[in-house]
């Protein structure tokens, strides 16, 4: 799945391993949520989004402890 | 000051503290996200901690940011929420017992203290302090049973009390056991226990928010119920 703003693939970040996360533009959030729901991946969405220098608003989707980062990345990569 | 005014002032103070604590959490979380964006824009910097000797550059700091948000900040503010609620609960009780001292029943006070006390109010506050100190070391279910015995407020609900007990048990794990769940957590948390012995306690944001919501509600409900029973200010 591509980030609409950067046209780079969305990436699951595991800097803090207990809670991997994805940063996504608000405009793509619903698509991402539907994708994760279809695959039964539990997550939660930051309640706030932020825009820098008049850029698009982005928010963070967090995954729970024990989520397999590789599986989630594969799901994202399976979508155009 | 009449009890009703004291209760209103207490509620206002505590709600303000809970809001400020959550604002601190949110604003600090975003401050770190802004730092991450600054780092992502290829800004370079070095931080030298003269106290510890640590030297941290933008690359090293970047590796810590999520941990600082998800663990350090979440845990610290969660503990603050619980402490603020405990302070509210016992201040509420203190106000009630001060207004209705006969509800202390046959509480005993040392003669020496009575003789040394400047006035009757000091004796009363000493007796209340001793009483509340004993209650404080009990489990939350006992706190609310005590409150119910002194003044029937019909809140919080049994479910809310159980959730409060679990939140306090989670706080105790963070404070007393370095975040590792021990045997006592399950005993204290009861049917709301979220972890097993040996697990690492985690304050994920949804739980952080749910706890804050619960505490706000219980403060509001207890305050409203207390005000409904307190004599009106003359």
């Amino acid at each position: 799945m591509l980030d609409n703003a950067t046209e780079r693939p969305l990436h699951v970040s595991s800097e803090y391993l207990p809670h991997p996360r994805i940063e996504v533009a608000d405009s793509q959030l619903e698509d991402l949520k539907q994708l994760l729901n279809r695959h039964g991946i539990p997550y939660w969405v930051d309640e706030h989004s932020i825009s820098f220098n008049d850029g698009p608003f982005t928010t963070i989707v967090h995954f729970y402890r024990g989520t397999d980062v590789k599986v989630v990345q594969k799901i994202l990569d399976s979508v155009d | 000051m009449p009890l009703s005014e004291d209760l209103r002032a207490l509620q206002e103070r505590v709600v303000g503290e809970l809001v400020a604590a959550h604002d601190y959490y949110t604003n600090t979380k975003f401050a770190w996200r802004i730092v991450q964006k600054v780092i992502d824009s290829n800004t370079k910097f070095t931080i030298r901690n003269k106290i510890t000797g640590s030297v941290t550059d933008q690359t090293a700091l970047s590796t810590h940011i999520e941990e600082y948000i998800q663990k350090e900040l979440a845990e610290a503010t969660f503990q603050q929420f619980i402490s603020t609620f405990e302070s509210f609960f016992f201040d509420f009780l203190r106000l009630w017992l001060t207004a209705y001292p006969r509800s202390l029943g046959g509480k005993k006070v040392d003669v020496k203290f009575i003789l040394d006390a400047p006035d009757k109010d000091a004796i009363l506050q000493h007796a209340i302090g001793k009483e509340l100190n004993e209650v404080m070391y009990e489990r939350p279910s006992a706190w609310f049973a005590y409150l119910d015995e002194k003044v029937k407020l019909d809140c919080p609900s049994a479910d809310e009390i159980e959730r409060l007990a679990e939140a306090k048990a989670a706080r105790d794990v963070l404070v007393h056991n370095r975040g590792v769940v021990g045997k006592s957590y399950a005993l204290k948390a009861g049917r709301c226990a979220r972890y097993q012995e040996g697990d690492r306690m985690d304050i994920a944001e949804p739980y952080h928010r749910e706890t804050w919501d619960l505490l706000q509600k219980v403060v509001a409900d207890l305050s409203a119920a207390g005000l409904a029973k307190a004599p009106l200010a003359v």
Side-chain angles (χ1 to χ4, degrees), chain B:
Chain B
M1 204 191 281
L3 177 59
S4 58
E5 284 185 28
D6 280 335
L7 290 176
R8 274 197 195 87
L10 175 63
Q11 180 183 13
E12 200 178 311
R13 175 175 65 78
V14 170
V15 167
E17 286 175 10
L18 285 172
V19 166
H22 201 284
D23 282 344
Y24 166 71
Y25 167 77
T26 300
N27 294 338
T28 306
K29 181 173 83 169
F30 277 95
W32 278 117
R33 299 238 184 273
I34 291 167
V35 168
Q36 185 63 66
K37 290 293 183 191
V38 167
I39 293 172
D40 290 346
S41 69
N42 294 323
T43 300
K44 290 184 174 30
F45 54 81
T46 306
I47 303 164
R48 193 187 303 272
N49 186 332
K50 294 178 188 174
I51 295 165
T52 65
S54 301
V55 177
T56 307
D57 67 9
Q58 70 283 348
T59 307
L61 187 63
S62 185
T63 65
H64 289 300
I65 287 175
E66 276 312 303
E67 181 193 347
Y68 286 171
I69 295 172
Q70 305 278 2
K71 181 178 179 303
E72 309 295 345
L73 179 64
E75 289 180 5
T77 49
F78 176 80
Q79 288 175 49
Q80 195 177 354
F81 297 162
I82 303 296
S83 293
T84 300
F85 177 77
E86 285 182 4
S87 158
F88 160 77
F89 184 82
F90 286 96
D91 283 350
F92 183 99
L93 268 176
R94 180 177 282 276
L95 288 175
W96 202 273
L97 292 173
T98 302
Y100 298 102
R102 291 198 186 277
S103 60
L104 279 168
K107 190 78 189 165
K108 291 179 173 37
V109 178
D110 287 341
V111 170
K112 185 178 181 316
F113 186 88
I114 295 170
L115 293 173
D116 290 341
D119 52 41
K120 191 173 162 188
D121 187 58
I123 299 169
L124 175 60
Q125 290 305 314
H126 176 74
I128 291 173
K130 275 184 67 175
E131 175 94 337
L132 293 184
N133 227 29
E134 288 166 17
V135 177
M136 199 177 292
Y137 285 99
E138 298 290 333
R139 296 194 183 161
S141 55
W143 297 358
F144 289 99
Y146 179 85
L147 175 65
D148 210 46
E149 179 197 309
K150 299 302 172 192
V151 50
K152 204 145 179 51
L153 295 178
D154 294 324
C155 66
S157 68
D159 178 66
E160 286 167 345
I161 292 172
E162 286 179 357
R163 289 175 60 205
L164 283 168
E166 190 284 328
K168 186 172 177 321
R171 193 280 303 266
D172 290 348
V173 169
L174 295 173
V175 170
H176 300 302
N177 215 35
R178 294 173 293 113
V180 178
V181 176
K183 282 193 179 63
S184 61
Y185 168 77
L187 289 168
K188 292 177 188 175
R191 70 175 186 87
C192 290
R194 297 175 299 127
Y195 293 97
Q196 295 182 338
E197 190 180 345
D199 287 345
R200 180 77 181 63
M201 177 62 63
D202 192 25
I203 308 295
E205 196 169 68
Y207 174 72
H208 185 269
R209 169 64 191 274
E210 284 159 17
T211 304
W212 188 85
D213 283 343
L214 171 67
L215 299 176
Q216 279 272 67
K217 182 179 185 297
V218 175
V219 167
D221 290 348
L222 281 175
S223 298
L227 282 165
K229 289 220 164 175
L232 291 172
V234 174

